[in-house]
Amino acid sequence: LEDFHHISVPCVLVTNEAKDVPFRNLSSVSSDDVLAAEMAIDHLVSLGHRNIGIIGGYWEHSDITVLRCQGCKKAFEKWDIPFTDVQYEAVRFSYEDGYRGAKALLERNPQLTAIFAMSDVMAIGAIRALRDMGKRIPEDISLVGFDGLTLSDYTVPRLTTVAQSSQALVD
């Protein structure tokens, strides 16, 4: 915000909202992260899950994390499912931290039957952690990621994911 007022050519932010940024020459295109996260939780609830953990980013460092958390909380409220801090594991958006996050969640909450990971890389790390812990996906625990990375089609099992089209965002 401090430096953008020096830019006079029209610009577009991709994946972040510009509606609250006070510059006339700035537009944005992004996914509706709130709605998408809400839909991910809705999907898990439709499968019968009520003990759902979330692997996400750090709220103070990521606007996307804040938006996706809002969607999760909205879904939990809609389905009258309590949401507590112990159901959330804040990690970096990486395979390693997805692994670490899944282990930490299940160590704190062995009764979890589903996990929503706020990115596919986190979810792929979680798949490995769950397998290393002897959990079968989806028989013992369900998992949903977010992004729609091509790699999710090649994991075993295939990753259920909220697919956002990066191509559509830039077209």
Side-chain angles (χ1 to χ4, degrees):
L1 288 175
E2 292 174 15
D3 294 327
F4 193 81
H5 70 277
H6 298 295
I7 300 172
S8 59
V9 296
C11 297
V12 177
L13 283 175
V14 178
T15 73
N16 288 311
E17 283 284 333
K19 67 181 178 188
D20 296 326
V21 181
F23 300 110
R24 290 176 13 106
N25 61 337
L26 182 63
S27 297
S28 64
V29 60
S30 64
S31 298
D32 186 338
D33 289 294
V34 175
L35 178 60
E38 180 182 359
M39 291 173 67
I41 299 299
D42 287 347
H43 173 70
L44 290 170
V45 172
S46 77
L47 296 174
H49 298 288
R50 294 192 60 82
N51 294 315
I52 302 167
I54 300 168
I55 302 171
Y58 294 98
W59 297 311
E60 60 274 10
H61 299 293
S62 170
D63 292 339
I64 288 173
T65 296
V66 171
L67 295 171
R68 292 179 187 172
C69 279
Q70 288 172 0
C72 292
K73 289 178 181 178
K74 190 174 177 183
F76 280 115
E77 287 173 12
K78 173 174 50 180
W79 294 105
D80 197 29
I81 298 172
F83 180 73
T84 65
D85 290 342
V86 296
Q87 288 172 261
Y88 187 87
E89 185 64 25
V91 298
R92 291 176 303 127
F93 284 72
S94 70
Y95 299 111
E96 298 84 4
D97 274 19
Y99 182 97
R100 186 180 63 75
K103 286 191 77 158
L105 268 178
L106 280 170
E107 286 167 3
R108 268 196 326 270
N109 304 291
Q111 74 282 6
L112 290 179
T113 61
I115 294 175
F116 169 52
M118 289 191 185
S119 74
D120 284 353
V121 295
M122 290 173 174
I124 291 167
I127 287 173
R128 178 61 188 262
L130 295 169
R131 305 275 306 228
D132 286 353
M133 296 173 81
K135 300 283 187 187
R136 297 169 303 152
I137 304 164
E139 295 85 359
D140 300 324
I141 191 164
S142 292
L143 177 66
V144 174
F146 193 112
D147 287 323
L149 298 180
T150 302
L151 180 59
S152 66
D153 289 334
Y154 297 93
T155 60
V156 177
R158 283 191 177 132
L159 177 62
T160 298
T161 184
V162 175
Q164 60 179 346
S165 172
S166 56
Q167 189 60 44
L169 289 173
V170 296
D171 281 349

